[in-house]
Amino acid sequence: MHIRKTTIFLILFIFLIILFDAFQQQYYLRTYDILENGASISFFELFSSHFIRWCIWGICSVPLALFSWKMFAQSNSEINTSQWLRIIGIGLVAWVLSIMLISTLSIVTSEEPFNRSNFLSFVEFFVAQKGISFLFAYSVLVLAIYNNAKSIVIDAQWMEIKELSTASQLNGKSRLEPQVSIKIGNKMKLLPLTDVTWIESDDYCVKIHTEEKSYSLRKSLKSLEKQLASYQFIRVHRCALLNLEYLDQVDFESSLIKLQDASELPLSKSGAQVLRTALKASSI
């Protein structure tokens, strides 16, 4: 499940919970005549109050979501017990904080005196009203992030660079031509490695640049550096892998590389040393 679909799913999930809470509260108020002196509360008011409380839940869930994503996305193996306990711990802190903030907001808006007795009373009420729903929603959030992060890892494993045999014959011998397998929608494009001018780091993915266009590949630049070392690809910057075949000129003073298609790449100090060595080895 991609990030966009996961986000839409979570928003729809929370919206349905808010609707359910508002309808449920309205039903109890009308059925059991809880309000005094014939007072009434509109459905919109009930919906708004629940919406605000879930917005507070959402704000408190941000640290949990960021930590969970970092944990799942950077782990190439199964999440161990210690990591799960840390995620659960952050989730519980978010849960307690959200209940406390909602209780505080309710005391302020109800214009009741802010004291320990009132605060504990509101906390007890919202633990009963929202406690289970909030815990369930936090669990769904973590599981959705886990599913999304692991799907990216799985896709990356399926799109590793492979050497494929071509059907052409040269001087009576079959020739192996390295290619890059790139998933585009439901299709797989085989891009000759000789067409790649440079590779750019892009968060948890990379961009494969050619003279005509660019493609996204879910793989780390570090792993590509090792796989492409024998194909004249060198790391010239923390975010750039250069194909020496397309190098036009390099300015070591301004730390800038220019390719044959006029593209410009940054050059780091460590990358400059590697590039000098490579040029010296391949020059006459």
Side-chain angles (χ1 to χ4, degrees):
M1 186 181 293
H2 298 295
I3 296 177
R4 182 178 299 178
K5 292 182 179 179
T6 302
T7 303
I8 294 174
F9 165 76
L10 288 173
I11 292 175
L12 180 60
F13 173 74
I14 298 300
F15 179 76
L16 291 176
I17 291 181
I18 295 174
L19 280 179
F20 174 78
D21 286 343
F23 276 119
Q24 184 186 53
Q25 189 172 4
Q26 186 181 53
Y27 170 79
Y28 284 127
L29 291 175
R30 290 180 177 180
T31 303
Y32 300 104
D33 194 21
I34 299 175
L35 297 176
E36 299 179 355
N37 302 323
S40 62
I41 300 178
S42 67
F43 177 79
F44 177 76
E45 290 177 302
L46 294 174
F47 180 87
S48 298
S49 63
H50 286 289
F51 179 79
I52 292 173
R53 292 163 190 169
W54 277 98
C55 284
I56 294 175
W57 172 91
I59 294 172
C60 293
S61 70
V62 171
L64 174 64
L66 294 177
F67 179 81
S68 299
W69 174 260
K70 181 179 180 181
M71 187 72 68
F72 298 145
Q74 293 183 352
S75 177
N76 294 324
S77 58
E78 291 297 323
I79 306 300
N80 58 42
T81 303
S82 175
Q83 292 171 317
W84 278 115
L85 288 176
R86 292 170 65 185
I87 292 172
I88 292 173
I90 295 176
L92 290 176
V93 171
W95 180 78
V96 171
L97 181 61
S98 61
I99 295 295
M100 294 177 65
L101 289 176
I102 291 172
S103 301
T104 302
L105 179 63
S106 298
I107 294 175
V108 173
T109 55
S110 64
E111 298 182 354
E112 293 192 18
F114 192 93
N115 52 51
R116 181 181 178 184
S117 177
N118 279 341
F119 180 72
L120 293 178
S121 178
F122 274 90
V123 168
E124 181 180 0
F125 172 77
F126 284 115
V127 166
Q129 186 193 56
K130 294 294 184 185
I132 299 300
S133 297
F134 278 9
L135 283 177
F136 180 67
Y138 281 129
S139 300
V140 172
L141 173 66
V142 171
L143 291 176
I145 293 174
Y146 176 82
N147 179 71
N148 191 78
K150 289 307 174 183
S151 68
I152 292 178
V153 173
I154 293 173
D155 286 345
Q157 292 174 345
W158 278 102
M159 286 184 287
E160 292 183 351
I161 294 180
K162 303 177 181 179
E163 289 186 355
L164 301 176
S165 175
T166 62
S168 60
Q169 296 290 326
L170 183 62
N171 296 326
K173 297 181 180 180
S174 61
R175 183 179 58 182
L176 291 175
E177 182 179 356
Q179 296 177 318
V180 183
S181 301
I182 301 176
K183 186 178 180 182
I184 304 177
N186 294 323
K187 299 180 180 179
M188 186 69 73
K189 178 177 179 61
L190 299 179
L191 179 68
L193 198 57
T194 53
D195 291 347
V196 179
T197 57
W198 70 291
I199 304 174
E200 178 184 10
S201 176
D202 185 22
D203 200 3
Y204 295 103
C205 305
V206 294
K207 284 186 178 180
I208 307 293
H209 294 280
T210 67
E211 291 183 321
E212 298 179 354
K213 61 185 302 185
S214 301
Y215 304 90
S216 292
L217 179 67
R218 286 176 178 168
K219 195 170 182 67
S220 69
L221 193 66
K222 185 177 181 180
S223 61
L224 287 177
E225 179 184 3
K226 296 178 180 179
Q227 291 179 296
L228 301 179
S230 59
Y231 297 104
Q232 298 194 68
F233 280 81
I234 62 172
R235 188 78 168 262
V236 294
H237 192 269
R238 63 179 178 83
C239 63
L241 201 60
L242 167 68
N243 185 349
L244 285 174
E245 292 290 336
Y246 289 90
L247 176 62
D248 182 48
Q249 59 185 21
V250 54
D251 188 338
F252 289 103
E253 291 186 1
S254 61
S255 299
L256 194 65
I257 295 174
K258 188 173 182 180
L259 304 186
Q260 296 173 8
D261 62 356
S263 298
E264 293 183 346
L265 277 65
L267 179 65
S268 64
K269 291 183 179 180
S270 59
Q273 295 178 355
V274 175
L275 183 58
R276 288 180 188 273
T277 302
L279 292 177
K280 184 177 181 181
S282 60
S283 301
I284 299 175

